[in-house]
Amino acid sequence: MPFSITTINGRQVLTLGGAVTIRDTQELAARLGECLDEGAPIGIETTGLEDIDTCILQLLCSLRRTAQELCFDNPSEFFLGAVDRCGLRRELLGM
C-alpha cells in the first residue's frame, strides 16, 4: 500500500510512499474522509514518495479546503517538484 494513516499524539499522519497513483484515489479518499470525521489535525509526510499522480494532488487540494488543520511535514523535493509542475504550490502549501 503506497499510503498509510496513523494516529500520533492525537494527530492523523498520512504517509505517502512509493508510487501513489489514480489506482489509489478511491481508497485514499475514503480513508481521508474518516480522518475528517474524527476532526483531528492532519499531517502529511512525503519523504518516501517516488511518484504521484495529478489526481492525488487534486485530492490533497480538496483535503486542504475541508480539513480543520492540515500541514505538510517537511515535504520532499520530489513532492515539491510535482506540486510546482501542476501549479498547485499556493493551493497546497500556501506559498
Side-chain angles (χ1 to χ4, degrees), residues 1-3 5 14 16 19-33 51-63:
M1 173 99 15
F3 69 88
I5 300 175
L14 167 63
L16 302 174
V20 187
T21 66
I22 194 167
R23 286 177 236 124
D24 305 303
T25 306
Q26 187 174 5
E27 186 175 352
L28 180 56
R31 297 278 309 277
L32 290 173
D51 190 19
I52 189 166
D53 280 356
T54 303
C55 62
I56 301 295
L57 293 174
Q58 291 170 330
L59 181 62
L60 294 177
C61 284
S62 178
L63 180 64

Side-chain angles (χ1 to χ4, degrees), residues 6 8 14 18 24 29 42 48 51-52 58 64 67 78 84 88:
T6 55
I8 301 172
L14 167 63
D24 305 303
I42 300 172
D51 190 19
I52 189 166
Q58 291 170 330
R64 164 67 80 197
F78 178 84
D84 287 342
L88 296 172

Side-chain angles (χ1 to χ4, degrees), residues 28-95:
L28 180 56
R31 297 278 309 277
L32 290 173
E34 294 168 10
C35 291
L36 290 173
D37 289 343
E38 294 176 17
I42 300 172
I44 301 177
E45 170 62 47
T46 61
T47 303
L49 192 62
E50 297 171 2
D51 190 19
I52 189 166
D53 280 356
T54 303
C55 62
I56 301 295
L57 293 174
Q58 291 170 330
L59 181 62
L60 294 177
C61 284
S62 178
L63 180 64
R64 164 67 80 197
R65 285 186 230 109
T66 55
Q68 291 180 4
E69 184 179 334
L70 176 79
C71 68
F72 289 84
D73 301 330
N74 301 312
S76 68
E77 289 300 316
F78 178 84
F79 178 77
L80 292 174
V83 167
D84 287 342
R85 282 190 300 280
C86 293
L88 296 172
R89 186 174 281 255
R90 186 173 359 146
E91 288 80 3
L92 279 173
L93 305 173
M95 309 167 120

